[in-house]
Amino acid sequence: MTGPLVPFREFVLKVHSRCDLACDHCYVYEHADQSWLTRPKTISDEAISWTARRLAEHATTHALPSVTVILHGGEPLLAGPARLRRVCEELGSALNGIAELDLRIHTNGVQLSPRYLDLFDEFHVRVGISLDGDRAANDRHRRFANGRSSHPMVMRAVGLLREERYRHLDLGLLCTVDINNDPVAVHDALAGLEPPLVDFLLPHATWDDPPPRPDGSPTAYADWLLTVFDRWTDQGRPMPVRMFASVLSSLNGGPSLTESLGLAPTDLVVIETDGKLEQVDSLKSAYEGAAATGFDVFSNTFDEVAAHPGVRARQLGLAGVSETCRRCPVVRSCGGGLYTHRYRSEPGPGGGSGSGFDNPSVYCADLAALIRGIEERTAAATESPAVRAPDELLAAHQDLTRTLLAVLHDTLDGRGGKLWDDAWRLAAAVEADAPGAEALDAVLAHPYTRTWLIGALEDVQAGRGMTGPATERLAATVAAAAVRAGLDLPVPVAYRDGSLYLPTLGTVVIGDPGERGAAVLRATGDGFLVRRQEGPPGALPAELRIAREEPEGPHWRPLRVLRQAPAPALLLDDLDPFRDCFATPATGRLTAERADAWAHRIAEAWSLLADAVPDQTAEAARTLTTVTPLAGGAAEPGRHGPGALGIGETADGKEPALGLLSGFRRAKLRALGEVTDLYALDGTWEHRTPWGSEDVTFSRLLAETCERAGLGLYDPRFLAGVPEALDMIENAAEVTVDGKQLIAAVRKEISGTRSAAGERRGRDFPPSGHASNVLASDRKVTFE
């Protein structure tokens, strides 16, 4: 199964398998899987001890700072205070000194009393209570077997948690949606209890057993939730609502905040009362045995469960959803919906590929309507990626890079070869180590990783397969991460033309020109050791020991770091095989003298920019990581991830200053366009730019306008026509909500700055003839 192993961080521990209520919508007792009938009512001492041992083992293996354990059932309070004390003591003792233990319990509240809450206070167990709203809503499903209401007893439990002595234990309320209930009444009943959190849950359903829709509406659940959202907004958002917070987060480019939405990999496992280890509990709604793994705490580790195909299938992000979902514009917010809700036993309509879980959610129309409804309602207040901090934009691109890597691995489908498979396996080992994970992120963030991924993915999807350096890049990436983290891990690599390039580090010369072969790289205390495994015999040694700080020599060409103040430290990459992704060809390896002169020119340019446009210069310092020498021309972005510019060699700093600013503006817009939709239907209409006589596409109008606005802060002559262009863009049919927010940010950026910019830079700026060359009409930027 594809994807690196993701350690579990959340553990659902079933302490009792029976319940004192008879809720008719319960997935444990009322749906397809009836395995509860064969399980012991209460968890045994042996199962508790082994669970504690496995938790400590897993936390140690993956250096987890904390683990969350949710005591669950059935109804967990039926286990009794003595049994719950035993659980808390065993888990706390096993994890002491290894990881912080976050204990929680989810209960219907019927049995809750001060006796239990005093116990929970002693062991810091936080309490979540299931409540579906007011009495009418709660009694629709949550009743005793004889039909008696549970509402008064649940309200008593909620009241206890609201007391000052127990308030710190209150985790919040879980509410299962029923569209027959009054959404406003449900909201007001829950809000009136002042909970720290409300979690709305869609009732578990599949394509085989779809949710009830009394009026036949395909968006009935979205309509109900949007009514709650409107009431919640009108009332000033009196309490956090996890579902709404998750949608708002993902619309802003942030992470999902709930398992039921978003593309984050699952990191949850269930321990049943008999010690059996199962996947997420909601799978019991799909079919008998859907959650089973065949493992138990007595014989198996949590890592074995994490490697189970069913678990891995929910760790692939975008690659793990159906083709229909991958093409959907809201997939990053909905994530294809809860995995269980995608199940269909037989092929049929609904947009999936057939039976199993490779389908959109049975709530697909609801999720799309909910996300679009929230987006429309919050468009004016939702912050676009265009106006967020550079760190957040870079984080979004790191997610995109990892998604592309997962898609490439999934598309290869076992055809990547042994070197690829070994590298994929070792990447999981590197990521399991905290410094290794940080190092792997740093190497994946190298801008030319994206160049490699995009090209390789295009080739594989076109049926051409990977060729040349593309086949070896993943192994080199893992090797570079291992070296950066100092991990003593043998990494198989391949070299060609006698050399091995390690992204972010440099090139090892391990053979003669034209030579190809295999090697193994292992990090050492101060560098690494590389040993040839195969290849033609040559004059060079079969084993090389390289220190990371070693100067350039016959076997080692390190990437240089430009450290000329006031410019930030920038990686001078004149070695990466994928760096030649600019309109102007990249140069070969610079001599030390040329590299030093080049660094001085960039520092001079940076000084001019820091004086003239300090805000943009500071943003560039936080964003740019890499520069690549070009054969000529000004600075330009290429086909790569954010953080790199190609820069030509020039005589002094003035021309590079203008080129750096121009290139940075275009690189920033390109980066934004890759993680958010700034426009649609590009090329359907053409627009006449206010500064030229040429009709251009919308993407080019947007690119040139944003570039000129930034340059206008350096010299106001570039602002000519920019306000008119901003008006054109804002009123164009192609612009999206995010595009309009970008334009608002640009307006704010240039407001009130023209005269000051002119006083600062008017005398020193290059003549206007040169300025027109910077924005030459043949310099096109497209975003796809």
Side-chain angles (χ1 to χ4, degrees):
M1 183 61 67
T2 56
L5 184 146
V6 177
F8 295 118
R9 291 177 172 82
E10 192 166 307
F11 303 82
V12 175
L13 180 60
K14 300 297 192 76
V15 296
H16 202 280
S17 65
R18 305 299 191 268
C19 189
D20 45 3
L21 293 182
C23 307
D24 58 15
H25 58 8
C26 181
Y27 63 87
V28 175
Y29 305 109
E30 302 296 332
H31 287 200
D33 190 307
Q34 292 292 297
S35 58
W36 66 274
L37 291 166
T38 63
R39 302 196 192 282
K41 290 183 179 179
T42 308
I43 192 169
S44 68
D45 288 346
E46 184 184 16
I48 294 170
S49 297
W50 273 101
T51 297
R53 186 181 307 179
R54 296 299 186 194
L55 275 172
E57 175 185 68
H58 196 67
T60 300
T61 299
H62 297 283
L64 300 179
S66 66
V67 295
T68 298
V69 178
I70 302 169
L71 308 180
H72 211 277
E75 169 49 48
L77 295 183
L78 292 179
R83 178 101 318 221
L84 292 176
R85 174 177 289 277
R86 175 66 182 273
V87 170
C88 296
E89 287 175 343
E90 289 254 11
L91 299 185
S93 177
L95 287 166
N96 186 33
I98 296 175
E100 182 180 349
L101 176 60
D102 176 10
L103 273 172
R104 307 178 181 194
I105 189 167
H106 286 177
T107 172
N108 60 33
V110 169
Q111 302 287 333
L112 196 64
S113 67
R115 184 182 179 190
Y116 280 106
L117 289 173
D118 289 340
L119 171 68
F120 298 156
D121 187 28
E122 180 181 349
F123 290 97
H124 311 290
V125 183
R126 291 185 290 166
V127 183
I129 293 180
S130 297
L131 177 66
D132 288 350
D134 58 358
R135 178 162 185 159
N138 199 69
D139 285 354
R140 192 179 295 277
H141 300 287
R142 299 187 182 277
R143 299 184 301 272
F144 289 93
N146 62 5
R148 182 164 56 95
S149 170
S150 67
H151 188 261
M153 303 177 77
V154 179
M155 292 300 291
R156 178 179 56 79
V158 173
L160 278 172
L161 275 174
R162 294 182 68 191
E163 292 182 9
E164 189 61 35
R165 56 179 171 158
Y166 298 130
R167 187 179 291 273
H168 62 287
L169 300 177
D170 192 356
L171 194 60
L173 302 173
L174 290 83
C175 174
T176 300
V177 173
D178 188 320
I179 55 177
N180 291 304
N181 292 329
D182 182 340
V184 172
V186 168
H187 170 275
D188 291 354
L190 299 177
L193 299 175
E194 301 179 325
L197 178 72
V198 168
D199 206 354
F200 285 107
L201 309 174
L202 291 170
H204 290 314
T206 67
W207 288 100
D208 293 352
D209 186 17
R213 297 182 182 275
D215 61 357
S217 169
T219 60
Y221 290 85
D223 298 341
W224 193 95
L225 285 164
L226 286 171
T227 302
V228 173
F229 182 87
D230 291 339
R231 180 68 170 180
W232 179 65
T233 302
D234 291 344
Q235 296 293 316
R237 301 185 177 182
M239 70 286 186
V241 176
R242 192 195 305 272
M243 178 182 285
F244 299 156
S246 182
V247 173
L248 291 168
S249 172
S250 59
L251 286 174
N252 276 324
S256 163
L257 305 177
T258 172
E259 180 200 8
S260 60
L261 298 171
L263 294 169
T266 181
D267 59 358
L268 179 149
V269 65
V270 178
I271 305 103
E272 288 285 356
T273 55
D274 57 2
K276 294 287 179 61
L277 295 170
E278 297 203 337
Q279 301 178 63
V280 62
D281 227 22
S282 62
L283 284 169
K284 296 181 189 299
S285 298
Y287 58 88
E288 183 79 32
T293 65
F295 301 131
D296 59 60
V297 291
F298 313 113
S299 306
N300 305 102
T301 67
F302 286 123
D303 272 10
E304 290 178 83
V305 186
H308 185 278
V311 176
R312 302 298 295 277
R314 292 179 293 116
Q315 296 177 342
L316 298 177
L318 188 63
V321 300
S322 71
E323 180 62 29
T324 301
C325 293
R326 284 198 288 270
R327 296 195 304 266
C328 178
V330 302
V331 68
R332 295 192 181 279
S333 290
C334 84
L338 190 69
Y339 191 71
T340 301
H341 298 168
R342 308 174 198 172
Y343 180 72
R344 182 196 298 277
S345 63
E346 300 291 341
S353 65
S355 59
F357 295 93
D358 190 23
N359 303 288
S361 168
V362 72
Y363 289 104
C364 178
D366 291 294
L367 294 174
L370 174 66
I371 292 163
R372 290 192 175 104
I374 291 176
E375 182 177 29
E376 290 168 1
R377 287 162 167 78
T378 58
T382 301
E383 189 180 47
S384 165
V387 294
R388 294 208 309 268
D391 292 347
E392 295 182 62
L393 180 60
L394 293 175
H397 269 274
Q398 185 76 326
D399 288 344
L400 177 58
T401 296
R402 283 182 168 269
T403 297
L404 287 171
L405 182 57
V407 171
L408 176 58
H409 185 67
D410 185 53
T411 307
L412 284 170
D413 194 22
R415 294 175 285 116
K418 187 176 187 306
L419 185 67
W420 178 277
D421 293 340
D422 286 345
W424 191 267
R425 174 179 54 81
L426 289 169
V430 171
E431 197 161 42
D433 176 86
E438 184 177 346
L440 185 59
D441 275 343
V443 180
L444 288 175
H446 189 53
Y448 303 130
T449 298
R450 184 75 60 79
T451 318
W452 158 60
L453 283 172
I454 292 173
L457 191 55
E458 287 177 349
D459 286 342
V460 172
Q461 289 178 334
R464 293 188 291 269
M466 290 191 298
T467 58
T471 60
E472 300 140 16
R473 182 66 175 228
L474 180 61
T477 295
V478 175
V483 172
R484 291 173 68 105
L487 294 179
D488 186 13
L489 187 72
V491 182
V493 292
Y495 63 91
R496 64 176 54 241
D497 201 24
S499 63
L500 165 66
Y501 174 74
L502 299 173
T504 74
L505 297 178
T507 295
V508 186
V509 179
I510 193 174
D512 294 321
E515 243 185 58
R516 295 179 57 183
V520 172
L521 184 146
R522 182 189 288 271
T524 60
D526 62 346
F528 59 91
L529 181 73
V530 59
R531 181 181 294 111
R532 286 192 296 176
Q533 299 293 296
E534 59 182 57
L540 294 176
E543 180 176 295
L544 293 170
R545 185 178 294 273
I546 305 291
R548 283 190 61 184
E549 301 302 322
E550 186 174 320
E552 183 161 354
H555 301 304
W556 177 234
R557 298 171 189 158
L559 287 178
R560 306 180 182 103
V561 178
L562 305 183
R563 302 185 186 277
Q564 296 285 340
L570 295 170
L571 198 65
L572 172 58
D573 198 333
D574 51 4
L575 294 172
D576 196 312
F578 294 94
R579 74 188 186 281
D580 207 357
C581 53
F582 301 92
T584 305
T587 69
R589 176 73 163 173
L590 296 184
T591 64
E593 293 76 15
R594 284 179 66 193
D596 187 58
W598 206 67
H600 278 291
R601 285 191 291 270
I602 291 179
E604 183 183 355
W606 205 277
S607 179
L608 292 172
L609 292 175
D611 175 58
V613 283
D615 290 344
Q616 290 192 79
T617 309
E619 185 178 359
R622 293 172 63 187
T623 304
L624 295 179
T625 63
T626 307
V627 290
T628 286
L630 302 181
E636 58 179 273
R639 192 187 188 207
H640 52 65
L645 285 178
I647 305 177
E649 295 184 81
T650 54
D652 56 44
K654 289 185 179 180
E655 187 173 345
L658 185 62
L660 273 171
L661 184 56
S662 172
F664 170 66
R665 293 292 290 195
R666 283 181 286 140
K668 177 182 176 181
L669 186 63
R670 179 189 176 116
L672 285 169
E674 289 178 332
V675 295
T676 189
D677 295 322
L678 299 174
Y679 58 86
L681 306 173
D682 189 38
T684 304
W685 299 276
E686 292 194 328
H687 306 267
R688 181 66 57 88
T689 62
W691 44 80
S693 58
E694 187 180 5
D695 288 330
V696 300
T697 61
F698 184 84
S699 60
R700 184 169 162 192
L701 173 66
L702 180 65
E704 290 190 9
T705 301
C706 290
E707 186 177 358
R708 282 179 173 271
L711 293 172
L713 299 175
Y714 190 93
D715 185 279
R717 283 171 287 186
F718 280 105
L719 290 177
V722 168
E724 295 85 350
L726 292 174
D727 290 340
M728 291 170 60
I729 293 169
E730 198 165 41
N731 296 317
E734 299 97 322
V735 72
T736 63
V737 171
D738 278 348
K740 289 182 178 180
Q741 291 186 44
L742 171 62
I743 293 310
V746 172
R747 285 191 195 279
K748 183 178 179 181
E749 187 179 29
I750 65 174
S751 62
T753 60
R754 295 182 222 184
S755 59
E759 291 172 6
R760 273 201 313 269
R761 303 303 308 161
R763 289 192 295 263
D764 299 332
F765 198 76
S768 56
H770 172 82
S772 64
N773 291 334
V774 174
L775 298 172
S777 61
D778 62 346
R779 185 172 288 172
K780 298 181 180 179
V781 179
T782 59
F783 308 97
E784 299 177 357

